[in-house]
Amino acid sequence: MVHARGVRKHFGKLQVLKGIDLSVERGQVCCLLGPSGSGKSTFLRCINHLEKIDGGRLAVDGDLVGYRRHGTRLHELREKAIAAHRRDIGMVFQRFNLFPHLTAEQNIMEAPVRVAGVSTATARANARRLLDQVGLGGRAGHYPAQLSGGQQQRVAIARALAMKPKLMLFDEPTSALDPELVGDVLDVMRQLAADGMTMVVVTHEIGFAREVGDTAVFMDDGRVVESGDPQKVLVDPEQERTRVFLSKVL
Ligand code: ADP
Ligand code: MG
């Protein structure tokens, strides 16, 4: 579903991704860990083309991100085609970014109705089903300010799912939450994984990564330091840098 080979990205003189190799199979969960500034968010943003890569190859579900193959030549996609591709990828951020003036249900209905042309009735029925799925069946009419951080994040997940993505990207989805609210969000993600969603999750929740991750990838300074079975990488890593990082977050 995601195939990265030698992906490079720089901002001015700052080399942020220095050749990332990473693959995520369909239906698998890849957990991405590493110190602040190592390039995790930038890499996620490259996957859904919020950033353009400078080198290497990056493909999602067989399509090169941002390009269309025409015979042997590659053509850069226009903004409209990029937006269409992006719709297949759900993204959940550390900050939930719900529309404050819309209810939970309306937040979830917004993109299907406005972007995908789904009827209001269908979008509402779908939103209700998704709210049930994230354990918020009774909160359809609540505004974000009336919900806890954990509940807002679960609405944000439901909102991303409303576009029926084939891939979900999570960027530290529980980092902004009070500790007692983290579990409910992780439970929703765990269930999503069990239902077969392909997921790339930037997280420092080592327990989650070990239990739910099919692979763990440790990044530092724009490179993949080591990757593989979470039970190995996060329990008995090969690399000293991984060891030092884990001793700090555990
Ligand atoms: P992480 O998510 O692992 O903490 P990021 O991908 O957010 O790391 O950032 C990696 C590096 O790239 C940091 O040094 C950050 O300051 C820099 N960076 C990220 N986005 C931009 C940008 N739009 N312009 C300039 N520098 C950026
Ligand atoms: Mg980040």
Side-chain angles (χ1 to χ4, degrees):
M1 182 59 77
V2 181
H3 195 70
R5 280 297 168 273
V7 167
R8 292 194 302 278
K9 174 72 189 173
H10 62 80
F11 294 109
K13 286 205 166 111
L14 183 66
Q15 194 75 33
V16 175
L17 301 178
K18 300 176 178 173
I20 300 289
D21 293 339
L22 188 154
S23 294
V24 187
E25 303 301 322
R26 191 181 302 275
Q28 290 211 325
V29 177
C30 171
C31 292
L32 208 50
L33 301 91
S36 180
S38 56
K40 307 179 297 296
S41 295
T42 302
F43 183 65
L44 281 196
R45 292 168 59 79
C46 289
I47 293 176
N48 71 350
H49 209 285
L50 291 168
E51 301 287 355
K52 196 174 155 188
I53 67 175
D54 302 316
R57 297 169 77 81
L58 179 57
V60 172
D61 200 16
D63 295 322
L64 280 180
V65 176
Y67 296 90
R68 176 173 56 87
R69 198 178 290 281
H70 193 83
T72 55
R73 300 233 298 273
L74 289 178
H75 293 268
E76 222 171 309
L77 294 177
R78 291 171 203 277
E79 196 50 48
K80 205 172 162 188
I82 291 169
H85 274 263
R86 205 175 277 148
R87 250 173 259 160
D88 290 337
I89 303 175
M91 185 140 186
V92 175
F93 302 90
Q94 184 173 340
R95 296 266 159 216
F96 340 113
N97 305 317
L98 296 175
F99 295 115
H101 62 290
L102 298 181
T103 63
E105 178 180 272
Q106 288 165 342
N107 265 283
I108 298 168
M109 293 169 62
E110 176 76 8
V113 170
R114 285 195 196 270
V115 182
V118 174
S119 75
T120 307
T122 303
R124 179 169 293 120
N126 198 32
R128 292 279 167 100
R129 187 181 54 73
L130 286 165
L131 282 169
D132 281 339
Q133 185 181 331
V134 300
L136 294 172
R139 301 288 200 281
H142 285 56
Y143 288 89
Q146 299 171 311
L147 299 169
S148 74
Q151 291 170 334
Q152 289 183 56
Q153 190 60 303
R154 286 184 278 152
V155 174
I157 294 171
R159 181 177 58 174
L161 292 174
M163 293 297 277
K164 300 187 168 58
K166 56 189 178 188
L167 169 67
M168 285 284 285
L169 309 176
F170 293 86
D171 195 353
E172 302 200 35
T174 59
S175 300
L177 300 177
D178 291 334
E180 74 272 22
L181 303 178
V182 168
D184 288 340
V185 173
L186 293 181
D187 284 345
V188 166
M189 293 169 63
R190 192 176 285 119
Q191 188 56 50
L192 201 53
D195 292 343
M197 179 60 78
T198 311
M199 298 162 49
V200 183
V201 184
V202 176
T203 184
H204 295 148
E205 296 289 337
I206 306 294
F208 176 86
R210 279 175 57 180
E211 184 201 333
V212 180
D214 295 291
T215 54
V217 176
F218 176 69
M219 278 176 68
D220 192 13
D221 192 25
R223 291 197 174 85
V224 172
V225 174
E226 69 181 294
S227 64
D229 182 353
Q231 297 301 343
K232 176 80 180 95
V233 174
L234 303 177
V235 179
D236 182 25
E238 303 275 331
Q239 301 295 325
E240 182 60 21
R241 268 190 290 173
T242 315
R243 217 173 272 283
V244 169
F245 174 79
L246 289 174
S247 71
K248 284 180 189 158
V249 296
L250 279 176

